[in-house]
Structures are given as structure tokens and as C-alpha cells.
Coordinates of all heavy atoms in Angstrom, one line a residue:
M185 N -1.2 29.5 14.4 CA -0.2 28.9 13.5 C -0.5 29.5 12.1 O -1.5 29.5 11.6 CB -0.4 27.4 13.5 CG 0.6 26.7 12.6 SD 0.4 25.0 12.3 CE 0.3 24.3 13.9
K186 N 0.6 30.0 11.6 CA 0.5 30.6 10.2 C 0.8 29.5 9.2 O 1.6 28.6 9.4 CB 1.6 31.7 10.1 CG 1.2 32.9 10.9 CD 2.2 34.0 10.6 CE 1.9 35.3 11.3 NZ 2.8 36.4 11.0
K187 N 0.1 29.7 8.1 CA 0.3 28.8 6.9 C 1.4 29.3 6.1 O 1.7 30.5 6.1 CB -1.0 28.7 6.1 CG -2.1 28.1 6.7 CD -3.3 28.0 5.8 CE -4.5 27.4 6.5 NZ -5.7 27.3 5.6
N188 N 2.1 28.4 5.4 CA 3.2 28.8 4.5 C 2.6 29.6 3.3 O 1.7 29.1 2.6 CB 4.0 27.6 4.0 CG 4.7 27.0 5.2 OD1 5.0 27.6 6.2 ND2 5.0 25.7 5.0
K189 N 3.1 30.8 3.1 CA 2.6 31.6 2.0 C 3.5 31.3 0.8 O 4.7 31.1 0.9 CB 2.7 33.1 2.3 CG 1.7 33.6 3.3 CD 1.7 35.0 3.5 CE 0.6 35.5 4.4 NZ 0.6 36.9 4.5
L190 N 2.8 31.3 -0.4 CA 3.5 31.0 -1.6 C 4.1 32.3 -2.1 O 3.6 33.4 -1.8 CB 2.6 30.5 -2.7 CG 2.0 29.1 -2.4 CD1 1.0 28.8 -3.5 CD2 3.0 28.1 -2.3
S191 N 5.2 32.2 -2.8 CA 5.9 33.4 -3.3 C 5.0 34.0 -4.5 O 4.1 33.3 -5.0 CB 7.3 33.1 -3.9 OG 7.2 32.4 -5.0
K192 N 5.3 35.2 -4.8 CA 4.5 35.9 -5.9 C 4.6 35.2 -7.2 O 3.7 35.0 -7.9 CB 5.0 37.3 -6.0 CG 4.2 38.2 -7.0 CD 3.0 38.7 -6.3 CE 2.4 39.8 -7.2 NZ 1.1 40.2 -6.8
E193 N 5.8 34.7 -7.5 CA 6.0 33.9 -8.8 C 5.3 32.6 -8.8 O 4.7 32.2 -9.8 CB 7.5 33.7 -9.0 CG 8.4 34.9 -9.2 CD 8.8 35.6 -7.9 OE1 8.8 34.9 -6.8 OE2 9.0 36.8 -7.9
Q194 N 5.3 31.9 -7.6 CA 4.6 30.6 -7.6 C 3.1 30.8 -7.7 O 2.4 30.1 -8.4 CB 4.9 29.9 -6.2 CG 6.3 29.4 -6.1 CD 6.6 28.9 -4.7 OE1 6.0 29.4 -3.7 NE2 7.4 27.8 -4.6
S195 N 2.6 31.9 -7.0 CA 1.2 32.2 -7.1 C 0.8 32.5 -8.5 O -0.3 32.1 -9.0 CB 0.8 33.4 -6.2 OG 1.0 33.0 -4.9
F196 N 1.6 33.3 -9.2 CA 1.3 33.7 -10.6 C 1.3 32.5 -11.5 O 0.5 32.3 -12.4 CB 2.3 34.7 -11.1 CG 2.0 35.3 -12.5 CD1 0.9 36.2 -12.6 CD2 2.7 34.9 -13.6 CE1 0.6 36.7 -13.9 CE2 2.4 35.4 -14.8 CZ 1.3 36.3 -15.0
Q197 N 2.3 31.5 -11.3 CA 2.3 30.3 -12.1 C 1.1 29.5 -11.9 O 0.5 28.9 -12.9 CB 3.6 29.5 -11.8 CG 4.8 30.1 -12.3 CD 6.1 29.3 -11.9 OE1 6.0 28.5 -11.1 NE2 7.2 29.6 -12.6
I198 N 0.6 29.3 -10.7 CA -0.6 28.5 -10.4 C -1.8 29.2 -11.0 O -2.6 28.6 -11.6 CB -0.7 28.4 -8.8 CG1 0.4 27.5 -8.3 CG2 -2.1 27.8 -8.5 CD1 0.4 27.5 -6.8
F199 N -1.9 30.5 -10.9 CA -3.0 31.3 -11.4 C -3.0 31.1 -12.9 O -4.1 30.9 -13.5 CB -2.8 32.8 -11.1 CG -3.8 33.7 -11.6 CD1 -5.1 33.7 -11.3 CD2 -3.4 34.7 -12.6 CE1 -6.0 34.6 -11.8 CE2 -4.3 35.5 -13.1 CZ -5.6 35.5 -12.7
S200 N -1.9 31.2 -13.6 CA -1.9 31.1 -15.1 C -2.3 29.7 -15.5 O -3.0 29.5 -16.5 CB -0.5 31.4 -15.6 OG -0.2 32.8 -15.4
S201 N -1.8 28.7 -14.7 CA -2.2 27.3 -15.1 C -3.7 27.0 -14.9 O -4.3 26.3 -15.7 CB -1.3 26.3 -14.3 OG -1.6 26.3 -13.0
M202 N -4.2 27.6 -13.8 CA -5.7 27.5 -13.6 C -6.5 28.1 -14.8 O -7.4 27.4 -15.3 CB -6.1 28.2 -12.3 CG -5.7 27.5 -11.1 SD -6.1 28.4 -9.6 CE -7.9 28.5 -9.6
I203 N -6.1 29.2 -15.2 CA -6.8 29.9 -16.3 C -6.6 29.0 -17.6 O -7.6 28.8 -18.3 CB -6.3 31.3 -16.6 CG1 -6.7 32.2 -15.4 CG2 -6.8 31.9 -17.8 CD1 -6.1 33.6 -15.4
S204 N -5.4 28.6 -17.9 CA -5.2 27.8 -19.1 C -6.0 26.5 -19.1 O -6.5 26.1 -20.1 CB -3.7 27.5 -19.4 OG -3.2 26.7 -18.3
K205 N -6.2 25.9 -17.9 CA -7.0 24.6 -17.8 C -8.4 24.9 -18.1 O -9.1 24.2 -18.8 CB -6.9 24.0 -16.4 CG -5.6 23.3 -16.2 CD -5.5 22.8 -14.8 CE -4.2 22.2 -14.5 NZ -4.1 21.8 -13.0
K206 N -8.9 26.1 -17.6 CA -10.3 26.4 -17.8 C -10.6 26.8 -19.3 O -11.6 26.4 -19.9 CB -10.7 27.6 -17.0 CG -10.7 27.3 -15.5 CD -11.8 26.3 -15.2 CE -11.8 25.9 -13.7 NZ -12.8 24.9 -13.4
V207 N -9.6 27.4 -20.0 CA -9.8 27.8 -21.4 C -9.8 26.5 -22.2 O -10.6 26.4 -23.2 CB -8.7 28.8 -21.8 CG1 -8.6 28.9 -23.3 CG2 -8.9 30.1 -21.1
R208 N -8.9 25.5 -21.9 CA -8.9 24.3 -22.6 C -10.3 23.5 -22.4 O -10.7 22.7 -23.2 CB -7.8 23.4 -22.1 CG -6.5 23.7 -22.8 CD -5.4 22.7 -22.4 NE -4.8 23.4 -21.3 CZ -4.2 22.8 -20.3 NH1 -4.1 21.5 -20.2 NH2 -3.6 23.5 -19.3
N209 N -11.0 23.8 -21.3 CA -12.2 23.1 -21.0 C -13.4 23.9 -21.6 O -14.6 23.6 -21.3 CB -12.5 22.9 -19.5 CG -11.6 21.8 -18.9 OD1 -11.2 20.9 -19.7 ND2 -11.2 21.9 -17.7
G210 N -13.2 24.9 -22.4 CA -14.2 25.5 -23.1 C -14.7 26.9 -22.6 O -15.6 27.5 -23.1
F211 N -14.0 27.4 -21.6 CA -14.3 28.7 -21.0 C -13.6 29.8 -21.9 O -12.6 29.6 -22.5 CB -13.9 28.8 -19.6 CG -14.8 28.1 -18.6 CD1 -14.6 26.8 -18.3 CD2 -15.9 28.8 -18.0 CE1 -15.4 26.2 -17.4 CE2 -16.7 28.2 -17.2 CZ -16.5 26.9 -16.8
T212 N -14.2 31.0 -21.8 CA -13.7 32.2 -22.5 C -13.2 33.2 -21.5 O -14.0 33.5 -20.5 CB -14.7 32.8 -23.4 OG1 -15.2 31.8 -24.4 CG2 -14.1 34.0 -24.2
L213 N -12.0 33.7 -21.6 CA -11.5 34.7 -20.7 C -12.2 36.0 -20.9 O -12.1 36.6 -22.0 CB -10.0 34.8 -20.8 CG -9.3 35.7 -19.8 CD1 -9.5 35.2 -18.4 CD2 -7.8 35.8 -20.2
E214 N -12.9 36.5 -20.0 CA -13.6 37.8 -20.1 C -12.7 39.0 -19.5 O -12.7 40.1 -20.1 CB -15.0 37.8 -19.4 CG -16.0 37.0 -20.2 CD -17.4 37.2 -19.7 OE1 -17.6 38.1 -18.8 OE2 -18.3 36.5 -20.2
E215 N -12.2 38.7 -18.4 CA -11.4 39.7 -17.7 C -10.3 39.1 -16.9 O -10.4 38.0 -16.3 CB -12.3 40.5 -16.7 CG -11.6 41.6 -16.0 CD -12.5 42.4 -15.1 OE1 -13.7 42.2 -15.1 OE2 -12.0 43.2 -14.3
R216 N -9.1 39.7 -16.9 CA -7.9 39.2 -16.2 C -7.2 40.3 -15.6 O -6.9 41.3 -16.3 CB -7.0 38.4 -17.1 CG -5.8 37.8 -16.5 CD -5.0 37.0 -17.4 NE -3.8 36.6 -16.7 CZ -3.0 35.5 -17.0 NH1 -3.4 34.8 -18.1 NH2 -1.9 35.2 -16.4
N217 N -6.8 40.2 -14.3 CA -6.0 41.2 -13.6 C -4.8 40.5 -13.0 O -4.9 39.7 -12.1 CB -6.9 41.9 -12.6 CG -6.2 43.0 -11.9 OD1 -5.0 43.0 -11.7 ND2 -6.9 44.1 -11.6
D218 N -3.6 40.8 -13.6 CA -2.4 40.1 -13.1 C -1.8 40.8 -11.9 O -1.0 40.2 -11.2 CB -1.3 40.1 -14.2 CG -1.7 39.1 -15.3 OD1 -2.4 38.2 -15.1 OD2 -1.3 39.4 -16.5
E219 N -2.3 42.0 -11.6 CA -1.8 42.7 -10.4 C -2.5 42.1 -9.1 O -1.8 41.8 -8.1 CB -2.1 44.2 -10.4 CG -1.6 45.0 -9.2 CD -1.9 46.4 -9.4 OE1 -2.3 46.9 -10.5 OE2 -1.9 47.1 -8.3
F220 N -3.8 41.9 -9.1 CA -4.5 41.3 -8.0 C -4.8 39.8 -8.2 O -5.4 39.2 -7.3 CB -5.8 42.0 -7.8 CG -5.6 43.5 -7.4 CD1 -5.9 44.5 -8.3 CD2 -5.1 43.8 -6.2 CE1 -5.7 45.8 -8.0 CE2 -4.9 45.1 -5.8 CZ -5.2 46.1 -6.7
L221 N -4.3 39.2 -9.3 CA -4.5 37.8 -9.6 C -5.9 37.3 -9.5 O -6.2 36.5 -8.6 CB -3.5 37.0 -8.7 CG -2.0 37.2 -8.9 CD1 -1.2 36.4 -7.9 CD2 -1.6 37.0 -10.3
F222 N -6.7 37.8 -10.3 CA -8.1 37.3 -10.5 C -8.5 37.4 -11.9 O -8.0 38.2 -12.7 CB -9.1 38.0 -9.6 CG -9.6 39.4 -10.1 CD1 -10.6 39.5 -11.0 CD2 -8.9 40.5 -9.8 CE1 -11.0 40.7 -11.5 CE2 -9.3 41.7 -10.2 CZ -10.4 41.8 -11.1
A223 N -9.4 36.5 -12.3 CA -9.9 36.4 -13.7 C -11.4 36.0 -13.7 O -11.8 35.2 -12.8 CB -9.1 35.5 -14.5
V224 N -12.1 36.5 -14.6 CA -13.5 36.1 -14.8 C -13.6 35.4 -16.1 O -13.2 35.9 -17.2 CB -14.5 37.3 -14.8 CG1 -15.9 36.9 -15.1 CG2 -14.4 38.1 -13.5
L225 N -14.1 34.1 -16.1 CA -14.3 33.3 -17.3 C -15.7 32.9 -17.5 O -16.5 32.9 -16.5 CB -13.4 32.0 -17.2 CG -11.9 32.3 -17.1 CD1 -11.5 32.1 -15.7 CD2 -11.2 31.4 -18.0
S226 N -16.1 32.7 -18.7 CA -17.5 32.4 -19.0 C -17.6 31.3 -20.0 O -16.7 31.1 -20.8 CB -18.3 33.6 -19.4 OG -17.9 34.0 -20.7
R227 N -18.7 30.5 -20.0 CA -18.9 29.5 -21.0 C -20.4 29.6 -21.4 O -21.3 29.6 -20.5 CB -18.6 28.1 -20.4 CG -18.9 27.0 -21.5 CD -18.4 25.7 -21.1 NE -18.6 25.3 -19.7 CZ -18.1 24.3 -19.1 NH1 -17.3 23.5 -19.8 NH2 -18.4 24.0 -17.9
G228 N -20.6 29.8 -22.7 CA -22.0 30.0 -23.2 C -22.8 28.7 -23.0 O -22.2 27.6 -22.8
G229 N -24.0 28.8 -23.1 CA -24.9 27.7 -23.0 C -24.8 26.7 -24.2 O -24.4 27.1 -25.2
K230 N -25.2 25.5 -23.9 CA -25.1 24.5 -25.0 C -26.4 24.6 -25.9 O -27.5 25.0 -25.4 CB -25.0 23.1 -24.4 CG -23.8 22.9 -23.7 CD -23.8 21.5 -23.0 CE -22.5 21.3 -22.2 NZ -22.5 20.1 -21.5
V231 N -26.3 24.3 -27.1 CA -27.4 24.3 -28.0 C -28.2 23.0 -27.9 O -27.6 21.9 -27.9 CB -27.0 24.5 -29.5 CG1 -28.2 24.4 -30.4 CG2 -26.2 25.8 -29.6
V232 N -29.5 23.1 -27.7 CA -30.3 21.9 -27.5 C -30.9 21.5 -28.8 O -31.5 22.3 -29.5 CB -31.5 22.2 -26.5 CG1 -32.4 21.0 -26.3 CG2 -30.9 22.6 -25.1
N233 N -30.8 20.2 -29.2 CA -31.3 19.7 -30.5 C -32.8 19.4 -30.2 O -33.1 18.3 -29.8 CB -30.6 18.5 -30.9 CG -31.0 18.0 -32.3 OD1 -32.1 18.4 -32.8 ND2 -30.2 17.2 -32.9
H234 N -33.7 20.3 -30.5 CA -35.1 20.1 -30.2 C -35.8 19.1 -31.1 O -36.7 18.4 -30.7 CB -35.9 21.4 -30.3 CG -35.5 22.4 -29.2 ND1 -35.9 22.2 -27.9 CD2 -34.8 23.5 -29.3 CE1 -35.4 23.2 -27.2 NE2 -34.7 24.0 -28.0
G235 N -35.3 18.9 -32.3 CA -35.8 17.9 -33.2 C -35.6 16.5 -32.7 O -36.5 15.7 -32.7
L236 N -34.4 16.2 -32.2 CA -34.0 14.9 -31.6 C -34.8 14.7 -30.4 O -35.4 13.6 -30.1 CB -32.5 14.8 -31.4 CG -32.1 13.6 -30.6 CD1 -32.3 12.3 -31.5 CD2 -30.6 13.7 -30.2
N237 N -34.9 15.7 -29.6 CA -35.7 15.6 -28.3 C -37.2 15.4 -28.6 O -37.8 14.7 -27.8 CB -35.5 16.9 -27.4 CG -34.2 16.8 -26.7 OD1 -34.0 16.0 -25.8 ND2 -33.3 17.7 -27.1
F238 N -37.7 15.9 -29.6 CA -39.1 15.7 -30.0 C -39.3 14.2 -30.4 O -40.3 13.6 -30.0 CB -39.6 16.6 -31.1 CG -41.0 16.4 -31.5 CD1 -42.0 16.8 -30.6 CD2 -41.4 15.8 -32.6 CE1 -43.4 16.6 -30.9 CE2 -42.7 15.6 -33.0 CZ -43.7 16.0 -32.1
I239 N -38.4 13.7 -31.1 CA -38.5 12.3 -31.5 C -38.5 11.4 -30.3 O -39.3 10.4 -30.1 CB -37.4 11.9 -32.5 CG1 -37.6 12.6 -33.8 CG2 -37.3 10.4 -32.7 CD1 -36.5 12.5 -34.8
I240 N -37.5 11.7 -29.4 CA -37.4 10.9 -28.1 C -38.7 11.1 -27.3 O -39.2 10.1 -26.7 CB -36.2 11.3 -27.3 CG1 -34.9 10.9 -28.1 CG2 -36.2 10.6 -26.0 CD1 -33.6 11.5 -27.5
F241 N -39.2 12.3 -27.3 CA -40.5 12.6 -26.6 C -41.6 11.7 -27.1 O -42.4 11.1 -26.3 CB -40.8 14.0 -26.7 CG -42.2 14.4 -26.3 CD1 -42.4 14.7 -25.0 CD2 -43.2 14.6 -27.2 CE1 -43.7 15.1 -24.5 CE2 -44.5 15.0 -26.8 CZ -44.7 15.2 -25.5
C242 N -41.7 11.6 -28.4 CA -42.8 10.8 -29.0 C -42.6 9.3 -28.8 O -43.5 8.5 -28.5 CB -42.8 11.0 -30.5 SG -43.4 12.7 -31.0
L243 N -41.3 8.8 -28.8 CA -41.0 7.4 -28.6 C -41.3 7.0 -27.2 O -41.6 5.8 -26.9 CB -39.6 7.1 -29.0 CG -39.3 7.1 -30.5 CD1 -37.8 7.0 -30.7 CD2 -40.0 6.1 -31.3
T244 N -41.1 7.9 -26.2 CA -41.3 7.5 -24.8 C -42.7 7.9 -24.3 O -42.9 7.9 -23.1 CB -40.2 8.2 -23.9 OG1 -40.3 9.6 -24.1 CG2 -38.8 7.7 -24.3
L245 N -43.6 8.3 -25.3 CA -44.9 8.7 -24.9 C -45.0 9.8 -23.9 O -45.8 9.8 -23.0 CB -45.7 7.5 -24.4 CG -45.8 6.3 -25.4 CD1 -46.4 5.1 -24.7 CD2 -46.4 6.6 -26.7
G246 N -44.1 10.8 -24.1 CA -44.2 12.0 -23.3 C -43.3 12.0 -22.1 O -43.2 13.0 -21.4
L247 N -42.8 10.8 -21.7 CA -41.9 10.8 -20.5 C -40.7 11.6 -20.6 O -40.1 12.1 -19.6 CB -41.6 9.3 -20.1 CG -42.8 8.5 -19.6 CD1 -42.3 7.1 -19.4 CD2 -43.4 9.1 -18.4
W248 N -40.2 11.8 -21.8 CA -39.0 12.5 -22.0 C -39.1 14.0 -21.8 O -38.2 14.8 -21.8 CB -38.4 12.2 -23.5 CG -37.1 12.9 -23.7 CD1 -36.9 13.9 -24.6 CD2 -35.9 12.5 -23.2 NE1 -35.5 14.2 -24.6 CE2 -34.9 13.4 -23.7 CE3 -35.5 11.5 -22.3 CZ2 -33.5 13.3 -23.4 CZ3 -34.1 11.4 -22.0 CH2 -33.2 12.3 -22.5
S249 N -40.4 14.5 -21.7 CA -40.6 15.9 -21.5 C -39.9 16.5 -20.3 O -39.5 17.7 -20.4 CB -42.1 16.2 -21.5 OG -42.7 15.6 -20.3
F250 N -39.8 15.7 -19.2 CA -39.1 16.3 -18.1 C -37.6 16.5 -18.3 O -37.1 17.6 -18.0 CB -39.3 15.3 -16.9 CG -40.7 15.1 -16.5 CD1 -41.3 13.9 -16.7 CD2 -41.5 16.1 -15.9 CE1 -42.6 13.7 -16.4 CE2 -42.8 15.9 -15.6 CZ -43.4 14.7 -15.8
A251 N -37.0 15.5 -19.0 CA -35.6 15.7 -19.3 C -35.4 16.8 -20.4 O -34.4 17.6 -20.3 CB -35.0 14.4 -19.8
W252 N -36.3 16.9 -21.3 CA -36.2 17.9 -22.4 C -36.3 19.3 -21.8 O -35.6 20.2 -22.1 CB -37.3 17.6 -23.4 CG -37.3 18.4 -24.6 CD1 -36.3 19.3 -25.0 CD2 -38.3 18.4 -25.6 NE1 -36.7 19.9 -26.2 CE2 -37.9 19.3 -26.6 CE3 -39.4 17.7 -25.8 CZ2 -38.6 19.6 -27.8 CZ3 -40.2 18.0 -27.0 CH2 -39.8 18.9 -27.9
L253 N -37.3 19.5 -20.8 CA -37.5 20.7 -20.2 C -36.2 21.1 -19.4 O -35.7 22.3 -19.4 CB -38.7 20.7 -19.3 CG -39.0 22.0 -18.6 CD1 -39.4 23.1 -19.6 CD2 -40.2 21.7 -17.6
Y254 N -35.6 20.2 -18.7 CA -34.4 20.4 -17.9 C -33.3 20.8 -18.8 O -32.6 21.8 -18.6 CB -34.0 19.2 -17.1 CG -32.7 19.3 -16.4 CD1 -32.6 20.1 -15.2 CD2 -31.5 18.8 -16.9 CE1 -31.4 20.2 -14.6 CE2 -30.3 18.9 -16.3 CZ -30.3 19.6 -15.1 OH -29.1 19.8 -14.5
L255 N -33.1 20.1 -19.9 CA -32.1 20.4 -20.9 C -32.2 21.8 -21.5 O -31.3 22.6 -21.6 CB -32.0 19.4 -22.0 CG -31.5 18.0 -21.7 CD1 -31.7 17.1 -22.9 CD2 -30.0 18.1 -21.4
T256 N -33.5 22.2 -21.8 CA -33.8 23.5 -22.4 C -33.4 24.6 -21.4 O -32.9 25.6 -21.8 CB -35.2 23.5 -22.8 OG1 -35.5 22.5 -23.7 CG2 -35.5 24.9 -23.5
I257 N -33.8 24.4 -20.1 CA -33.6 25.5 -19.1 C -32.1 25.5 -18.7 O -31.5 26.6 -18.7 CB -34.5 25.3 -18.0 CG1 -36.0 25.5 -18.4 CG2 -34.2 26.3 -16.8 CD1 -37.0 25.2 -17.4
E258 N -31.6 24.4 -18.2 CA -30.3 24.4 -17.6 C -29.1 24.5 -18.6 O -28.1 25.2 -18.3 CB -30.1 23.2 -16.7 CG -30.9 23.2 -15.4 CD -30.5 24.4 -14.5 OE1 -29.3 24.6 -14.4 OE2 -31.4 25.1 -14.0
A259 N -29.2 23.7 -19.7 CA -28.1 23.7 -20.6 C -27.9 25.0 -21.4 O -26.8 25.3 -21.8 CB -28.3 22.5 -21.6
S260 N -28.9 25.8 -21.5 CA -28.8 27.0 -22.3 C -28.3 28.2 -21.4 O -28.1 29.2 -22.0 CB -30.2 27.3 -22.9 OG -31.1 27.6 -21.9
K261 N -28.2 28.0 -20.1 CA -27.7 29.1 -19.3 C -26.2 29.3 -19.5 O -25.4 28.4 -19.7 CB -27.9 28.8 -17.8 CG -29.3 28.9 -17.4 CD -29.4 28.6 -15.9 CE -30.9 28.7 -15.4 NZ -30.9 28.4 -13.9
Q262 N -25.8 30.6 -19.4 CA -24.4 30.9 -19.5 C -23.8 30.7 -18.1 O -24.4 31.1 -17.1 CB -24.2 32.4 -19.9 CG -22.8 32.8 -20.1 CD -22.6 34.2 -20.5 OE1 -23.5 35.0 -20.4 NE2 -21.4 34.5 -21.0
K263 N -22.6 30.2 -18.0 CA -21.9 29.9 -16.7 C -20.7 30.9 -16.6 O -19.9 31.0 -17.6 CB -21.5 28.5 -16.6 CG -22.7 27.5 -16.6 CD -22.2 26.1 -16.8 CE -23.4 25.1 -16.8 NZ -24.4 25.4 -17.8
K264 N -20.6 31.5 -15.5 CA -19.4 32.4 -15.2 C -18.7 31.9 -13.9 O -19.4 31.5 -13.0 CB -19.8 33.8 -15.0 CG -20.2 34.5 -16.3 CD -20.3 36.0 -16.1 CE -20.5 36.7 -17.4 NZ -20.4 38.1 -17.3
I265 N -17.4 32.0 -13.9 CA -16.6 31.6 -12.7 C -15.6 32.7 -12.5 O -15.1 33.4 -13.4 CB -16.0 30.2 -12.9 CG1 -15.0 30.2 -14.1 CG2 -17.0 29.1 -12.9 CD1 -14.2 28.9 -14.1
L266 N -15.2 32.8 -11.2 CA -14.1 33.7 -10.8 C -13.0 32.8 -10.4 O -13.2 32.0 -9.5 CB -14.6 34.6 -9.7 CG -13.5 35.4 -9.0 CD1 -13.0 36.6 -9.9 CD2 -14.0 36.0 -7.7
V267 N -11.8 33.0 -10.9 CA -10.6 32.3 -10.5 C -9.7 33.3 -9.9 O -9.4 34.4 -10.6 CB -10.0 31.6 -11.8 CG1 -8.7 30.9 -11.4 CG2 -10.9 30.6 -12.4
A268 N -9.2 33.0 -8.7 CA -8.3 34.0 -8.1 C -7.3 33.4 -7.1 O -7.4 32.2 -6.8 CB -9.2 35.0 -7.3
I269 N -6.4 34.2 -6.7 CA -5.4 33.8 -5.6 C -5.7 34.6 -4.4 O -5.8 35.8 -4.5 CB -4.0 34.0 -6.1 CG1 -3.7 33.2 -7.4 CG2 -3.0 33.6 -5.1 CD1 -3.7 31.7 -7.3
D270 N -5.9 34.0 -3.2 CA -6.2 34.8 -2.0 C -4.9 35.4 -1.5 O -3.8 35.2 -2.0 CB -6.9 33.9 -1.0 CG -6.1 32.8 -0.5 OD1 -4.9 32.7 -0.8 OD2 -6.7 32.0 0.3
E271 N -5.0 36.1 -0.3 CA -3.9 36.8 0.2 C -2.8 35.8 0.7 O -1.6 36.2 0.9 CB -4.3 37.7 1.4 CG -5.1 37.1 2.5 CD -6.6 37.0 2.2 OE1 -7.1 37.6 1.2 OE2 -7.3 36.3 2.9
D272 N -3.1 34.6 1.0 CA -2.1 33.6 1.4 C -1.4 32.9 0.2 O -0.5 32.1 0.4 CB -2.7 32.5 2.2 CG -3.2 33.0 3.6 OD1 -2.6 34.0 4.1 OD2 -4.2 32.5 4.1
G273 N -1.9 33.3 -1.0 CA -1.3 32.7 -2.2 C -1.9 31.4 -2.7 O -1.4 30.7 -3.5
L274 N -3.1 31.1 -2.1 CA -3.7 29.8 -2.4 C -4.8 30.1 -3.5 O -5.6 31.1 -3.4 CB -4.3 29.2 -1.2 CG -3.3 28.9 0.0 CD1 -4.1 28.5 1.2 CD2 -2.3 27.9 -0.5
P275 N -4.9 29.2 -4.4 CA -5.9 29.4 -5.5 C -7.3 29.0 -5.0 O -7.5 28.1 -4.2 CB -5.4 28.5 -6.6 CG -4.7 27.4 -5.9 CD -4.1 28.1 -4.7
F276 N -8.3 29.7 -5.6 CA -9.7 29.3 -5.4 C -10.5 29.7 -6.6 O -10.1 30.5 -7.4 CB -10.3 30.0 -4.1 CG -10.5 31.5 -4.2 CD1 -11.8 31.9 -4.6 CD2 -9.5 32.4 -3.9 CE1 -12.0 33.3 -4.6 CE2 -9.8 33.7 -3.9 CZ -11.0 34.2 -4.3
E277 N -11.7 29.0 -6.7 CA -12.6 29.2 -7.8 C -14.0 29.4 -7.2 O -14.4 28.7 -6.3 CB -12.5 28.0 -8.7 CG -13.4 28.0 -9.8 CD -13.3 26.7 -10.6 OE1 -12.1 26.2 -10.8 OE2 -14.3 26.2 -11.0
E278 N -14.7 30.3 -7.8 CA -16.1 30.6 -7.3 C -17.0 30.8 -8.4 O -16.7 31.5 -9.4 CB -16.0 31.9 -6.4 CG -17.3 32.2 -5.7 CD -17.1 33.4 -4.8 OE1 -16.3 33.3 -3.9 OE2 -17.9 34.4 -5.0
R279 N -18.2 30.2 -8.3 CA -19.2 30.4 -9.4 C -19.9 31.7 -9.2 O -20.3 32.0 -8.1 CB -20.1 29.2 -9.3 CG -21.0 29.1 -10.5 CD -21.7 27.8 -10.4 NE -22.1 27.4 -11.8 CZ -22.8 26.4 -12.1 NH1 -23.0 25.5 -11.2 NH2 -23.1 26.1 -13.3
C280 N -20.0 32.4 -10.3 CA -20.7 33.7 -10.3 C -22.2 33.6 -10.7 O -22.5 32.7 -11.5 CB -20.1 34.7 -11.2 SG -18.3 35.0 -10.8
L281 N -23.0 34.4 -10.1 CA -24.4 34.4 -10.5 C -24.6 35.2 -11.8 O -24.1 36.3 -11.9 CB -25.3 34.9 -9.4 CG -25.3 34.2 -8.1 CD1 -26.1 34.9 -7.0 CD2 -25.9 32.8 -8.3
V282 N -25.4 34.6 -12.7 CA -25.6 35.3 -14.0 C -27.1 35.7 -14.0 O -28.0 34.8 -13.8 CB -25.3 34.4 -15.2 CG1 -25.6 35.1 -16.5 CG2 -23.8 34.0 -15.1
A283 N -27.4 36.9 -14.3 CA -28.8 37.4 -14.3 C -29.4 37.0 -15.6 O -28.9 36.8 -16.6 CB -28.8 38.9 -14.1

């Protein structure tokens, strides 16, 4: 059984709306290809307030160190995603690995 394929115009509209939603959520458009309908977007890591975290660390007698370490490692990573339309005209999103 074949799935209903979307027209080229419908696929392009869906693709453009996906990109605009991601840009509104803080992503930056790095690369866009309107012929093959794919785009690479990235979002830089968040800045960790180490002064505030040190105060919380002291108030919790060191228990906050686990959360602080997690924030320092995970929040500072850059995130990249691939947004594309497959051959059936259906949108998909995939997280890219950043070295």
C-alpha cells in the first residue's frame, strides 16, 4: 500500500514552517538547501553562572556539585539538528553529533 505523497508546494511550506519554528526557539540557520529540502540548524550552549552555583554549592554543603557538574558539561554543548523532507514529502528532524 502506497502512502499519499505531498505535492512539492505543500512539502516546501511544511519545510519552511519547520525552520521558522526552530529559529523562533533559538536555533541559528547554518545551511539550507531548497532543492533537496534540508537544513542544518544549531544552537549554542548556555552560559553557566558559576558564581550562583558556588553559592548554592556552599549552602547545600557540596550536594549541589553533581547538578553543577551536569550543568557545566551538558548545558555548554552546542546542539545541531537536521530538518528535512523525505522522498514521500514527510518532514523529519534528526539530531546531529557535534565533535
Side-chain angles (χ1 to χ4, degrees):
M185 183 187 305
K186 291 186 177 180
K187 294 182 181 179
N188 293 337
K189 291 187 177 184
L190 296 175
S191 71
K192 185 82 169 171
E193 294 82 24
Q194 290 173 328
S195 296
F196 186 75
Q197 288 176 347
I198 292 170
F199 176 67
S200 296
S201 68
M202 285 175 64
I203 291 174
S204 64
K205 285 179 188 176
K206 293 295 178 185
V207 169
R208 275 183 270 152
N209 287 334
F211 283 89
T212 303
L213 183 63
E214 287 191 5
E215 182 180 349
R216 179 176 174 158
N217 187 323
D218 289 334
E219 183 179 342
F220 296 110
L221 296 180
F222 77 88
V224 178
L225 297 105
S226 68
R227 180 169 43 191
K230 297 177 183 174
V231 177
V232 178
N233 185 346
H234 292 289
L236 174 64
N237 281 291
F238 180 72
I239 293 170
I240 297 171
F241 170 82
C242 291
L243 292 174
T244 61
L245 303 174
L247 291 176
W248 185 251
S249 62
F250 300 110
W252 188 6
L253 183 63
Y254 175 78
L255 287 173
T256 302
I257 293 171
E258 287 299 317
S260 62
K261 286 185 180 176
Q262 183 181 18
K263 295 168 181 59
K264 284 192 175 192
I265 59 169
L266 171 72
V267 175
I269 303 291
D270 65 8
E271 55 273 349
D272 293 329
L274 302 173
F276 71 92
E277 178 180 319
E278 187 174 303
R279 196 170 199 177
C280 301
L281 297 175
V282 178

